[in-house]
Amino acid sequence: MKLTTGPGRLEALAEEAVVAACTLADAAGPSRWSADAVEDVAAALEILAGALAQLDPECAEILSVVPIAAAAVVERAEQAGPGRAKPSTAGLRPGRARRCARYSPLTV
């Protein structure tokens, strides 16, 4: 698949990623995650972090923890089994411009 990366296309793709992430976050609940779904989301986090890491060496250093964290979450999900995760009160950090319905920084 070849992506067009003309002017404005990167912004459109980034917006699509945010919409997809919000849709997933709104649909997710502790009992709804399978190990495969966790693995897919962890892979997406790694890919997006890798893309942002290209900004500059400092960004790369900051984001270097993402693959380690993603792997740890996948391992934990595999050990816990489906529907055995504990709910989290973590949401998006305050000041986030785009908000997911369930994870609005105004309600966290």
Side-chain angles (χ1 to χ4, degrees):
M1 177 169 99
K2 185 173 171 120
L3 295 176
T4 305
T5 56
R9 184 65 181 145
L10 183 61
E11 289 80 8
L13 290 169
E15 181 68 24
E16 288 176 26
V18 169
V19 170
C22 283
T23 301
L24 176 65
D26 290 342
S31 63
R32 300 187 77 180
W33 287 97
S34 67
D36 288 341
V38 171
E39 187 173 351
D40 288 343
V41 171
L45 288 171
E46 288 186 61
I47 291 166
L48 292 171
L52 285 174
Q54 296 176 33
L55 290 171
D56 62 46
E58 188 174 338
C59 288
E61 184 177 340
I62 292 166
L63 293 164
S64 67
V65 300
V66 173
I68 297 163
V73 170
V74 168
E75 183 177 337
R76 184 172 173 87
E78 289 171 347
Q79 291 173 353
R84 292 183 18 209
K86 291 183 180 176
S88 171
T89 58
L92 298 175
R93 57 191 160 83
R96 180 82 174 125
R98 296 174 182 96
R99 295 182 177 97
C100 300
R102 187 166 159 206
Y103 293 98
S104 171
L106 301 175
T107 61
V108 173

